[in-house]
Amino acid sequence: MLTAAICAASLEESVRRAAGVEPILSPPACLGTWNPTWVRGREFVYVKLHGMRNSPYWYGDSWLVALSAGEIRKLDLAGSTWFVASCHLDESPMLGALLAAGAVVVGGSGPNYGGKTTLLGADLLGYWLRRSMSWGVRPEPALRIARARMALDRSKASQDAALFRIWRPEET
């Protein structure tokens, strides 16, 4: 499965482990250097940038603008699944931009907890989701499998990740 990842530079280790690829880091990547080829043709895209309510941007470290809803809307994301470990996904225009571009989106509400160097919470869920999908499992059953793998962990991070859901383009 062709996979890409983009994250805040300080979150590189957890994203590398969860996504199974070398992530694009922000910084140095930012809105002015965004390259659509980073995600074009990818079946799975793992995002762990900082998100804010009502903001049409995702941010890297030091609140550097990494990606905008406007840039996402220009992409053809049909056939891709985006796992978004960014906070406030469903409270920002970023979700609508992904759906308008044709992506299936897996993410959560409010703050989403994960690790910097270890897999926990959203990162662990994303890891199991990616692994299941790499075996040919569709997003919905893959999310159920990922949740089942985490079911015994009662940490706040895992309880938050258990609330992640799937949005499909036709829901917009």
Side-chain angles (χ1 to χ4, degrees):
M1 175 172 70
L2 292 174
T3 300
I6 183 167
C7 67
S10 63
L11 306 173
E12 176 182 8
E13 183 59 31
S14 64
V15 172
R16 180 185 300 112
R17 293 176 69 193
V21 296
E22 287 296 320
I24 305 298
L25 305 178
S26 179
C30 63
L31 189 58
T33 64
W34 170 251
N35 186 338
T37 62
W38 292 339
V39 297
R40 186 174 295 132
R42 298 304 192 269
E43 298 160 281
F44 189 84
V45 179
Y46 192 108
V47 178
K48 191 175 180 184
L49 294 163
H50 302 292
M52 295 175 44
R53 285 184 187 97
N54 303 315
S55 177
Y57 304 104
W58 279 328
Y59 305 88
D61 289 338
S62 301
W63 296 101
L64 176 72
V65 175
L67 187 55
S68 73
E71 288 300 314
I72 289 173
R73 285 181 185 277
K74 294 176 187 176
L75 302 172
D76 177 4
L77 301 178
S80 68
T81 298
W82 284 52
F83 179 82
V84 181
S86 303
C87 296
H88 306 291
L89 173 63
D90 66 347
E91 300 169 292
S92 79
M94 301 303 281
L95 175 59
L98 287 166
L99 294 171
V104 172
V105 182
V106 179
S109 301
N112 294 311
Y113 304 100
K116 284 189 172 188
T117 59
T118 60
L119 294 183
L120 60 95
D123 299 314
L124 193 55
L125 185 76
Y127 170 80
W128 288 117
L129 179 78
R130 177 187 60 82
R131 290 282 307 268
S132 294
M133 289 184 66
S134 73
W135 299 324
V137 179
R138 307 272 312 138
E140 288 82 359
L143 183 57
R144 286 193 298 273
I145 291 166
R147 284 183 183 140
R149 295 295 308 236
M150 298 176 60
L152 297 178
D153 183 352
R154 302 310 302 159
S155 70
K156 181 174 184 165
S158 288
Q159 290 176 13
D160 169 69
L163 300 175
F164 274 39
R165 62 164 287 203
I166 295 177
W167 289 272
R168 292 196 159 274
E170 57 271 12
E171 295 176 18
T172 57

